[in-house]
Structures are given as C-alpha cells and as structure tokens.
C-alpha cells in the first residue's frame, strides 16, 4: 500500500486526514512540524507528502522547497493541504515544487483523487 506522510501542526487535521487515508488502504506517517516532516521523509521515503503551510518554525513552503530540491527526496510528490486559498499561494506552492494543492477542510474524494493523480 502507498505510504503517505502528513505534515501538519494540527492534531485534529492529522486525525481527520489519517482516518480518510487508513479507511482507503493507505499507510500513514505523521509529523507535527516542517522540520520533523523533512527528517521522516528522508528516513522513510513516503510515496506522497501532504504538507500544511502555516506551521511554527519551518513552514510548509520552506519544507516543500527543501524536499523538492534535495536529490534524495525530489522524487516524492508533495501536495499542499492548507487553509490558504489565494491564487498567489497556489502559484507559490507550485514554484516550491508542490505537485498538488488542496484547501481545508478537505473532502475525502478530492484528497484521494489528488493523491491518485500524483502517484500515477
């Protein structure tokens, strides 16, 4: 089963997204910060990373940029999952290397479709 890393500082969001993924056969890893997300991504090499933007310390844009520019992790697609709904945020996310962009609250169909799109 595909391995998905959720990077989000909200325990509620991690729980909700984990539930959707687990019910649909995905293996799930979680990280509560951008820094921890980078460490876990390098150690476990997930198939997809779901990245929040607004987090203390290393934000999601910075973490996405580091993942996409590191030769070791550049093959891992990142989907940004955030409350930030401006077109400029979407464009900036793409420039950092994100392969997808979803706004919270995420619905299960949209989430699964986005993951499927980056895996295939």
């Amino acid at each position: 089963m595909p391995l998905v890393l959720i990077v989000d500082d909200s325990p509620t969001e991690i729980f909700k997204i984990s539930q959707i993924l687990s019910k649909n056969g995905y293996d799930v890893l979680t990280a509560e910060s951008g820094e921890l997300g980078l460490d876990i991504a390098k150690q476990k090499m997930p198939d997809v990373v779901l990245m929040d933007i607004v987090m203390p310390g290393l934000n999601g844009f910075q973490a996405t940029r580091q993942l996409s520019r590191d030769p070791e992790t550049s093959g891992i697609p990142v989907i940004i999952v955030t409350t930030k709904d401006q077109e400029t945020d979407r464009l900036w996310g793409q420039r950092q290397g994100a392969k997808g962009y979803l706004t919270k609250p995420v619905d299960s169909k949209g989430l699964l479709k986005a993951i499927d799109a980056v895996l295939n």
Side-chain angles (χ1 to χ4, degrees):
M1 284 282 87
L3 180 61
V4 180
L5 170 60
I6 303 167
V7 183
D8 198 312
D9 61 331
S10 164
T12 305
E13 286 297 324
I14 286 178
F15 177 78
K16 287 194 297 193
I17 295 171
S18 294
Q19 290 290 92
I20 293 168
L21 295 175
S22 296
K23 284 181 188 167
N24 286 278
Y26 290 91
D27 292 323
V28 178
L29 295 170
T30 63
E32 299 79 39
S33 71
E35 294 87 351
L36 187 58
L38 289 176
D39 289 345
I40 292 173
K42 286 180 182 179
Q43 290 172 19
K44 303 291 185 179
M45 298 303 286
D47 297 296
V48 181
V49 174
L50 302 178
M51 182 75 71
D52 184 26
I53 292 176
V54 182
M55 296 182 285
L58 195 67
N59 72 40
F61 287 138
Q62 295 164 322
T64 298
R65 182 171 52 243
Q66 287 187 32
L67 283 173
S68 66
R69 297 203 175 142
D70 183 332
E72 214 178 308
T73 55
S74 63
I76 303 170
V78 176
I79 299 171
I80 290 177
V81 182
T82 183
T83 55
K84 295 173 78 60
D85 197 15
Q86 300 297 311
E87 188 60 27
T88 53
D89 296 317
R90 288 178 186 275
L91 292 171
W92 189 243
Q94 287 176 337
R95 294 204 44 202
Q96 306 318 303
K99 303 292 184 224
Y101 196 102
L102 298 170
T103 52
K104 294 176 186 174
V106 294
D107 66 284
S108 55
K109 277 187 187 161
L111 177 63
L112 297 170
K113 187 175 172 185
I115 291 171
D116 196 41
V118 299
L119 287 178
N120 296 321

